[in-house]
Every structure is written in C-alpha cells, then in structure tokens.
C-alpha cells in the first residue's frame, strides 16, 4: 500500500509538472498477484492491469507485462515468490525489457518487487539471482518478517532505493513524543513486540543462521516433492527454485478432485489448502504445502503416507462427479442422470451405515 502510494504520488507530480492529465493511473501486475494489490488498486483508485496466466506458466510473463505499460503506468509490480506456487518472477528480464521500452518512449516506468516471502529466501539460497536494487529500475521492495523472517504475524517493511523515491509530502513529522519523528504509515498505534522479536531473530541467527534455516526448508520441500512424485498420481506445479513449498495437482481428477483430497486429509490433522488458479488458468486446481522452519523431514514423510491413504480411500468410493451416461454400464451402456444420482446416493448411504456399524462393534 505504502509503496503504491509513493509511486502514484510521484507519477502525479511528474504529470502535473508536464501539464498532462493525472487522473487515470494504472499498475501492471500478474493475475497471480496477492490480494493486497487488488485492495490497493480499489482503495486508492488505480486501474489494475493484470497479465493473464496460462496452463503451465503461473507467473507474470515479463514480455506481456511490458506490452501493457503505457504513459499512465505508475509501476510494474513483480512478485518474488508467488502465493500460488512459490515461483520467483523474472525481475531481471522485466528490468531489461522495460529499460528498452523507456528508451523508446521517453517514459521512466519503474518496478516494485513484492518480496513478501522471497526477500528472506533469495539472499540466502540464491545470492547470484538479480532481483533487487542491483537492477536500476527497481525502486522499492517490500518483505514480510512474519513469513520467512521467522516472526509471528504483524511485521514487515517496505524499503526504497533512494530518498527521492518516497515523495516528501507523504511523510508526517511529529514531535510530541520528545523528538522529531518522521512517519509514513496506514495503521493505528500498535505494540512493538513484533519489531523486538524480529530484532532478536536477526541478531541471534545472523546471515549464517538464516541460510541454514532456508537450506533445511528447501531440503524438506524436496523430500515432500519426491515422495509425491513416487505415488505417480500428481503433477508438481511448483519450481525447485523459489519459496520452499510444494504445489501439486492430480494427474486425473475426473472421479475425485483436489478438494476431496484436502477434505479427507483433515481427518489426519492436515489442513492443506486446495484452490483454483486465476484467469486464464482457472481450470487448474492445486494443493499447496508451505515448508516452514518447524516442518521436519519426518513430517514430510508422514504427509506423503497420509496422502497415499487418502488416495486409496478415494479409489474405493464412488465418484462425486457425475460420469457421463455414455460411460455407464446400464441398458445399452446408458443411464439417465437421475439414475446415476440415485445410485451414488444409495452407495453413500450404505457406505456410511456400514462405517457406523463397524465403529459401534469396535467400541463394544
């Protein structure tokens, strides 16, 4: 929000100085953008121009993003660690393409990097990756301490490249606390516990400690990924280079889908989210497991075992999705839809009754 406001105000000031209209700002992002960017666009009246996704490519395409840039674009927002599959967007390619367009048009469209997760991962696992202020057009970066900063929810920052990238008129100066304090916030007063916790973690772990934690998270993510691949039932949607998470979908979800897998996993104590991808890949459904510091190799192996149990159980159950009548073995190989519904309902009632009876016998 704060980074977006800074870009909007700086763009407006430039347009006013040039005597040009400044009432229709826009921001270019991928359709995979986190909801905070949609909130920014709606709350602060900025048009959100989204680069649509496609099957197999679930992050913003830099080339398509640059094509959407016009004279009213306040910035292009790239994500270092997509919420959907943990993938890092190619900020360097975006910077190079946008630099060429700026030269051709005379514009100076900048880049913001939403590194909410990746900002605490890339420096430790991929130090050679260029995504930050090494790229000239990156003017601001935000990062969340409550994700891989290893602190509980409520702490995060936005950092600007230079002082002039944050317009002075957005900063308020107060002195009623005993000294001049510049402030640029949107929230009300809050406690300092998260700041103290983050300071403690930075001092206690240091660069080496954070690198060890991130490497361990990545290794456990690979254990989970390999275990899921061995089942032969899933496509892995996430990338090895990115946030330590595993996003995966069923190779065949005609009879049972990812939402059913997520529902049955709750019985084993796992809350694994299932969700559909944004436009134009909304026909793809994905399950996602985020690997944090406390997610051990043992837990990864146990999750694979429980997912295997769920798959075996689903294989023994009737399909929740109605199978086309032409594929049924009724009269002349056909069944009406109502006949299929009745058959499924009867089967489920019988299944539930038998489970209840078995449980009573076990108790006795």
């Amino acid at each position: 929000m704060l980074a977006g406001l800074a870009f909007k105000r700086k763009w407006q000031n430039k347009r006013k100085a040039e005597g040009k209209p400044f009432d229709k700002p826009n921001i270019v992002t991928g359709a995979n953008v986190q909801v905070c960017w949609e909130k920014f666009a709606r709350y602060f009246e900025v048009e959100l121009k989204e680069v649509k996704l496609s099957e197999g490519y679930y992050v913003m395409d830099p080339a398509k993003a640059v094509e959407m840039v016009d004279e009213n674009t306040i910035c292009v927002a790239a994500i270092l660690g997509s919420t959907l599959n943990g993938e890092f967007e190619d900020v360097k390619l975006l910077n190079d393409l946008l630099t060429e367009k700026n030269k051709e048009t005379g514009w100076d469209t900048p880049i913001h990097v939403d590194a909410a997760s990746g900002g605490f991962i890339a420096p430790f696992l991929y130090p050679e990756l260029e995504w930050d202020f090494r790229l000239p057009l990156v003017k601001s970066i935000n990062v969340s301490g409550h994700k891989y900063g290893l602190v509980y929810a409520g702490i995060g920052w936005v950092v600007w490249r230079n002082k002039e990238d944050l317009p002075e008129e957005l900063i308020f100066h107060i002195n009623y606390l005993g000294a001049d304090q510049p402030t640029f916030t949107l929230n009300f007063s809050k406690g300092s516990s998260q700041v103290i916790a983050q300071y403690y973690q930075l001092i206690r772990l240091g660069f080496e400690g954070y690198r060890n934690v991130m490497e361990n998270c990545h290794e456990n993510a690979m254990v989970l990924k390999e275990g899921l691949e061995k089942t032969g039932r899933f496509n892995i949607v996430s990338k090895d280079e990115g946030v330590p998470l595993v996003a995966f979908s069923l190779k065949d979800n005609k009879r049972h889908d990812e939402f059913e897998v997520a529902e049955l996993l709750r019985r084993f104590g796992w809350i694994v989210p299932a969700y559909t991808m944004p436009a134009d890949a909304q026909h793809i459904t994905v399950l996602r497991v985020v690997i944090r510091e406390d997610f051990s190799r043992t837990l990864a192996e146990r999750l694979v075992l429980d997912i295997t149990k769920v798959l075996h159980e689903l294989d023994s159950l009737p399909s929740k999705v109605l199978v086309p009548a032409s594929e049924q073995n009724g009269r002349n190989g056909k069944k009406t839809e109502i006949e299929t519904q009745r058959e499924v309902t009867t089967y489920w009632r019988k299944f539930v009754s038998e489970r209840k009876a078995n449980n009573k016998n076990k108790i006795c």
Side-chain angles (χ1 to χ4, degrees):
M1 298 273 185
L2 298 178
L5 280 174
F7 282 118
K8 181 183 178 183
R9 183 58 60 91
K10 191 171 183 181
W11 174 83
Q12 287 176 325
N13 290 344
K14 184 174 184 291
R15 299 282 289 183
K16 288 178 185 178
E18 296 172 347
K20 297 178 180 178
F22 54 89
D23 59 333
K24 294 183 178 179
N26 68 64
I27 184 171
V28 176
T29 70
N32 57 313
V33 75
Q34 216 269 354
V35 70
C36 64
W37 287 101
E38 297 180 39
K39 289 182 179 179
F40 164 75
R42 188 177 302 178
Y43 294 166
F44 296 104
E45 299 180 324
V46 175
E47 179 190 0
L48 185 66
K49 300 173 73 172
E50 293 184 335
V51 179
K52 304 302 181 186
L53 309 184
S54 60
E55 186 171 349
Y57 195 85
Y58 304 116
V59 291
M60 179 179 70
D61 184 331
K64 291 180 180 179
V66 173
E67 286 177 8
M68 298 176 72
V69 170
D70 58 32
E71 62 179 352
N72 294 322
T73 302
I74 63 174
C75 79
V76 180
I79 303 177
L80 197 76
S82 171
T83 302
L84 301 177
N85 70 341
E87 188 174 350
F88 291 167
E89 294 184 341
D90 194 338
V91 186
K92 187 178 188 310
L93 178 58
L94 176 64
N95 177 87
D96 295 344
L97 294 174
L98 195 53
T99 297
E100 289 301 315
K101 183 158 189 172
N102 285 342
K103 287 179 181 178
E104 294 171 4
T105 60
W107 304 333
D108 57 355
T109 308
I111 296 172
H112 174 83
V113 179
D114 182 351
S117 295
F120 261 110
I121 295 167
F124 307 107
L125 293 184
Y126 317 106
E128 72 289 345
L129 183 67
E130 294 184 45
W131 61 274
D132 47 21
F133 294 136
R134 285 172 284 183
L135 303 175
L137 292 183
V138 175
K139 302 299 182 182
S140 55
I141 299 169
N142 70 275
V143 62
S144 298
H146 72 261
K147 292 185 173 70
Y148 284 89
L150 310 180
V151 179
Y152 35 83
I155 183 68
W157 309 268
V158 56
V159 183
W160 284 270
R161 182 188 194 92
N162 296 306
K163 195 171 183 179
E164 55 266 27
D165 292 319
L166 173 57
E168 180 63 30
E169 64 263 35
L170 293 178
I171 301 174
F172 292 84
H173 293 267
I174 59 173
N175 65 2
Y176 54 74
L177 294 177
D180 178 66
Q181 294 187 359
T183 176
F184 179 36
T185 63
L186 287 172
N187 58 293
F188 294 96
S189 298
K190 58 187 294 186
S192 62
S193 58
Q194 295 100 339
V195 176
I196 295 170
Q198 184 68 80
Y199 180 66
Y200 169 79
Q201 289 285 55
L202 292 174
I203 296 299
R204 173 179 175 268
L205 294 174
F207 188 93
E208 192 70 25
Y210 269 97
R211 183 172 62 186
N212 291 339
V213 170
M214 300 310 153
E215 287 177 349
N216 187 59
C217 290
H218 176 75
E219 289 171 5
N220 289 334
M222 292 302 99
V223 170
L224 178 59
K225 174 196 169 188
E226 291 166 7
L228 292 171
E229 287 177 329
K230 286 179 181 178
T231 67
R233 302 285 291 272
F234 296 105
N235 291 316
I236 305 299
V237 177
S238 52
K239 306 294 184 181
D240 290 352
E241 183 176 295
V243 177
L245 65 78
V246 183
F248 52 102
S249 59
L250 287 165
K251 289 182 178 180
D252 182 3
N253 59 2
K254 292 179 182 177
R255 295 186 70 251
H256 298 284
D257 58 27
E258 290 80 1
F259 294 101
E260 292 175 80
V261 174
E263 182 181 345
L264 289 183
L265 277 173
R266 286 175 176 266
R267 293 191 349 219
F268 294 93
W270 299 103
I271 300 177
V272 179
Y275 51 89
T276 55
M277 289 291 191
D280 283 335
Q282 58 266 39
H283 59 289
I284 304 296
T285 306
V286 170
L287 292 152
R288 184 194 66 201
V289 178
V290 179
I291 310 301
R292 292 288 300 269
E293 180 188 20
D294 56 352
F295 191 92
S296 65
R297 177 169 184 153
T298 301
L299 280 178
E301 293 170 347
R302 177 184 152 197
L303 177 56
V304 172
L305 182 62
D306 289 341
I307 288 175
T308 303
K309 292 177 182 176
V310 165
L311 293 174
H312 287 325
E313 182 168 349
L314 286 174
D315 289 341
S316 68
L317 298 177
S319 172
K320 277 191 177 182
V321 181
L322 288 179
V323 179
S326 59
E327 297 181 16
Q328 298 285 353
N329 294 319
R331 351 177 247 281
N332 298 323
K334 295 183 179 180
K335 285 185 181 180
T336 64
E337 185 172 310
I338 190 65
E339 286 176 326
T340 303
Q341 290 177 343
R342 286 171 179 167
E343 184 177 296
V344 170
T345 301
T346 301
Y347 185 99
W348 274 99
R349 285 176 178 169
K350 181 180 178 182
F351 176 78
V352 172
S353 297
E354 290 176 351
R355 290 290 291 268
K356 287 182 178 179
N358 290 336
N359 288 336
K360 285 181 179 180
N361 292 334
K362 288 179 180 178
I363 293 173
C364 293

